[in-house]
Amino acid sequence: MARSALVLGGGMVGVSTAWHLQQRGYDVVLVERGEPGRETSYGNAGLIQREAVEPYAFPHDFQKLVQVAFKQGNDVNYRLSDLAAIAPRLVEYWWNSGPKRYETITRGFEALIRHCLTEHDRMIDAAGAGDLVRHGGWTQIFRTEKGFADGAARARHLAREFGVEGRILDSATLARAEPALYRKMTGGVYWPSPYSVKDPGALVQRYADLFVAGGGKIVHGDARTLAHLASGWTVRTADGSVSAEQAVIALGPWSSDLTRSMGYKFPLFVKRGYHRHFKWNGHLNAPMIDTDAGVALLPMAQGLRVTTGAEFALRDAPPSWKQIIRSEKLAREMLDIGEAVETTPWIGSRPCVADMLPIIGEAPAHTGLWFHFGHAHQGFTLGPATGRLCAEMMKGETPYIDPLPYRPTRFRFGRRAFPF
Ligand SMILES: Cc1cc2nc3c(=O)[nH]c(=O)nc-3n(C[C@H](O)[C@H](O)[C@H](O)COP(=O)(O)OP(=O)(O)OC[C@H]3O[C@@H](n4cnc5c(N)ncnc54)[C@H](O)[C@@H]3O)c2cc1C
């Protein structure tokens, strides 16, 4: 008999999990409150980041901390009134970013990133979504000498440690590679292996269409109605209740709404981000991220998408447009970006865990309930790779990646003890 599962959440992570379960013979119902790929998986930078083998660490460098504290840069912002609420998570994040722990965490992160292109390729081919995906990397650009020196050193480090190629471009080479860029930069690093997607939400929708074409169901419902039955799990949806033997929480930044109410106190927080499109009609040979300024310039179906760095705030706090306004100004120093497409910028939340690794595994106190969230800055990249891992574990297959670093029980001890 076919096994059955409910997948809660239709972002890149949930849709990829649903498809991988279906590939393993499961009857799958995906429960989504809106449409697939319309939240965080819509508004991101659209990069499938093969180079992102190291997760974003909390800065330990004093100069950087001062810059952030006094809001001198644009790459990181925070909402002062939310700091007390998120401080415990940030302290833990800072602690995990210490050199020794960070090295171990990076090994766990890299083990996932290593598979991001092959796992996306498999889904892109099956979904016939090649038209949305550009092979050919992206360029990290720098406006300060220090930024460029650090960026070049990091490129050499990633090549040496992980075999990731990053081509160091001096100022003149970068200017020749991207003639549309009219601000003189100090240099760049071109990462050739990542992919870029011209409409990230559309790619998730194609993956969702693939899942439906394979017999999967997508229903509208509120995942917070999840309840435990003797035989499995049930959720109330617009079409009545749906039930299955297993359920997966893949609600991205909303995962804590459900896990908290079930007694799991994971160290979750969000880093919010913004984007806005512009009616630019120029040409870039590759998407670009200005690391010093925290601005990404991304040619997309909707126009040139300008995105921001991270804002530390509560998920549902009112938006602060400061970063996106500054990003727009900084983008105009580099490209003739034209008029804005939307009147109001987009805001979304990266779902983060204090130890920078996603949480993937069965709930320790609830049989048949699975966790799959917390992909932070790289959930669009990692959805298919961790979707496969999660599906393999649910089915009881030998996982293709050692799942130990992502196990939910890593938070069992100390003050985050589970209620058992
Ligand atoms: C500005 C920015 C740039 C980024 N750039 C990149 C990038 O270039 N590359 C990369 O890999 N990552 C990037 N990210 C991170 C990436 O977007 C996220 O990690 C990823 O989208 C998370 O996917 P998800 O499926 O976990 O969450 P989501 O995409 O948010 O999906 C969660 C889903 O759950 C649904 N949901 C929520 N609550 C309920 C409920 N109660 N009932 C039913 N459904 C519910 C939502 O509607 C949503 O569809 C970026 C993020 C931001 C903000």
Side-chain angles (χ1 to χ4, degrees):
M1 240 179 69
R3 301 186 65 176
S4 58
L6 302 175
V7 175
L8 310 177
M12 179 56 91
V13 172
V15 169
S16 301
T17 312
W19 184 74
H20 273 290
L21 285 168
Q22 184 181 68
Q23 293 298 294
R24 285 162 181 76
Y26 271 71
D27 275 341
V28 185
V29 178
L30 189 145
V31 182
E32 168 57 54
R33 65 180 174 190
E35 299 302 322
R38 302 316 298 165
E39 294 284 358
T40 332
S41 299
Y42 159 78
N44 56 62
L47 300 174
I48 300 179
Q49 289 186 265
R50 176 61 185 92
E51 89 299 341
V53 289
E54 295 178 321
Y56 275 92
F58 195 99
H60 270 231
D61 151 24
F62 181 71
Q63 203 185 336
K64 181 72 194 168
L65 284 171
V66 170
Q67 191 199 68
V68 172
F70 290 98
K71 300 193 175 198
Q72 287 163 352
N74 189 49
D75 52 341
V76 181
N77 191 22
Y78 61 88
R79 246 176 82 87
L80 189 59
S81 53
D82 293 351
L83 273 193
I86 56 179
R89 304 286 89 88
L90 297 189
V91 170
E92 239 172 301
Y93 179 25
W94 173 82
W95 188 81
N96 281 309
S97 301
K100 263 203 127 65
R101 281 173 295 279
Y102 185 66
E103 201 185 308
T104 309
I105 287 164
T106 296
R107 276 202 295 277
F109 199 72
E110 191 274 337
L112 299 174
I113 288 284
R114 200 187 301 164
H115 299 279
C116 68
L117 298 182
T118 40
E119 291 307 321
H120 265 286
D121 280 341
R122 186 202 292 252
M123 293 188 72
I124 290 164
D125 289 348
D131 58 307
L132 296 173
V133 182
R134 179 185 169 278
H135 294 200
W138 64 277
T139 309
Q140 189 173 6
I141 57 175
F142 303 95
R143 52 179 68 210
T144 63
E145 290 298 343
K146 178 172 182 337
F148 181 40
D150 290 350
R154 179 168 170 266
R156 284 190 287 268
H157 164 74
L158 295 192
R160 204 172 46 242
E161 296 296 320
F162 304 103
V164 170
E165 189 192 357
R167 294 180 204 153
I168 299 165
L169 314 175
D170 61 27
S171 181
T173 313
L174 173 62
R176 275 195 304 276
E178 292 292 2
L181 190 62
Y182 51 59
R183 185 194 194 282
K184 188 170 183 308
M185 307 302 286
T186 53
V189 175
Y190 171 61
W191 304 100
S193 53
Y195 300 165
S196 57
V197 176
K198 68 178 183 193
D199 186 341
L203 184 64
V204 179
Q205 184 60 59
R206 295 277 188 94
Y207 289 173
D209 294 344
L210 173 69
F211 163 69
V212 171
K217 261 199 210 142
I218 300 180
V219 297
H220 285 130
D222 184 347
R224 290 170 302 182
T225 63
L226 184 72
H228 205 176
L229 303 171
S231 57
W233 295 89
T234 187
V235 165
R236 285 204 301 276
T237 77
D239 308 328
S241 292
V242 286
S243 308
E245 292 161 83
Q246 290 171 299
V248 190
I249 301 177
L251 296 165
W254 293 275
S255 299
S256 55
D257 292 356
L258 199 44
T259 54
R260 217 183 300 120
S261 69
M262 301 179 96
Y264 296 98
K265 292 179 191 153
F266 293 119
L268 305 176
F269 63 101
V270 300
K271 291 186 202 170
R272 304 200 303 182
Y274 299 79
H275 85 219
R276 198 171 197 187
H277 296 110
F278 294 87
K279 294 177 189 164
W280 173 73
N281 51 20
H283 174 78
L284 284 181
N285 288 313
M288 293 193 295
I289 299 183
D290 177 345
T291 304
D292 297 329
V295 180
L297 304 166
L298 311 149
M300 294 249 174
Q302 301 91 336
L304 183 78
R305 181 175 289 187
V306 174
T307 68
T308 66
E311 182 193 33
F312 291 92
L314 291 173
R315 185 193 65 201
D316 301 329
S320 150
W321 306 120
K322 186 180 149 190
Q323 258 177 317
I324 189 69
I325 289 168
R326 281 179 76 180
S327 292
E328 175 182 336
K329 190 165 165 275
L330 291 160
R332 287 192 192 284
E333 290 175 8
M334 295 184 276
L335 292 178
D336 184 8
I337 63 175
E339 280 171 51
V341 173
E342 305 93 352
T343 45
T344 309
W346 174 89
I347 175 171
S349 296
R350 300 171 182 92
C352 301
V353 184
D355 70 356
M356 292 161 273
L357 292 171
I359 296 175
I360 312 169
E362 192 169 18
H366 295 91
T367 310
L369 180 66
W370 289 74
F371 297 139
H372 189 193
F373 48 79
H375 296 63
H377 290 257
Q378 268 88 35
F380 187 72
T381 297
L382 289 177
T386 61
R388 173 175 166 192
L389 176 63
C390 185
E392 286 175 346
M393 287 196 283
M394 287 174 69
K395 176 96 188 282
E397 293 173 4
T398 306
Y400 82 120
I401 297 169
D402 177 6
L404 204 70
Y406 328 111
R407 68 200 184 285
T409 49
R410 68 190 194 265
F411 299 112
R412 184 168 179 165
F413 302 107
R415 63 186 175 73
R416 290 187 307 273
F418 287 144
F420 53 77

